[in-house]
Amino acid sequence: MKRLRRDFQAHRRAAVLFLVYWLATLAVVLLTWNRGIPVRIVALLLTAPLIAGTLMGRWRAATPEHQARTRDRITAGVLAGVLVVELTLLVMKGGVVDEAIGWRHGDRFRGGEVLEFVLAGGVLGALLGLAGAGLAVVLDRWRPSPP
């Protein structure tokens, strides 16, 4: 987690742009909510862990003073993908916090469904983060070296 924080600090502009993108996807969920999330918006939400995995795989690339290992780049991408999906499930409309607030107001608590979504989301986030980091590794191999 310390390395993840250092990566964000080293690439602040990209991290802030990603944060704005993630918040915009959450706003789109809120605006398009109609007793659930439309399928095309779910597809939009799934781009966030893919982008996060790609960013982490790219940020952990080799530099002149540091030799990067592919395993570190892949694990960073997987971690970023899982974190993005779990944070999304936590704060989005219909997510864990929304479900808990509804339960406090007398709605039926669907804890089993929430747990299933959290577990499935974690696996999906790991796979999308892995795909993003793998994409960054593959694209780095095709990048021309500086003169």
Side-chain angles (χ1 to χ4, degrees), residues 16-57:
V16 167
L17 286 174
F18 178 74
L19 177 66
V20 168
Y21 174 77
W22 180 69
L23 291 172
T25 60
L26 291 177
V28 168
V29 167
L30 188 62
L31 294 173
T32 60
W33 183 267
N34 186 15
R35 297 184 187 177
I37 304 172
V39 175
R40 65 183 186 276
I41 304 303
V42 172
L44 177 68
L45 285 174
L46 293 179
T47 61
L50 184 67
I51 294 169
T54 305
L55 287 173
M56 291 308 298

Side-chain angles (χ1 to χ4, degrees), residues 32-103:
T32 60
W33 183 267
N34 186 15
R35 297 184 187 177
I37 304 172
V39 175
R40 65 183 186 276
I41 304 303
V42 172
L44 177 68
L45 285 174
L46 293 179
T47 61
L50 184 67
I51 294 169
T54 305
L55 287 173
M56 291 308 298
R58 178 73 183 105
W59 291 346
R60 297 267 172 103
T63 59
E65 65 274 355
H66 170 67
Q67 181 62 30
R69 293 185 302 189
T70 302
R71 184 184 74 199
D72 291 339
R73 296 172 72 183
I74 297 293
T75 55
V78 169
L79 176 63
V82 169
L83 287 174
V84 166
V85 167
E86 296 301 340
L87 285 172
T88 301
L89 287 174
L90 183 69
V91 300
M92 75 177 191
K93 172 85 173 144
V96 176
V97 172
D98 193 40
E99 192 67 33
I101 289 170
W103 174 63

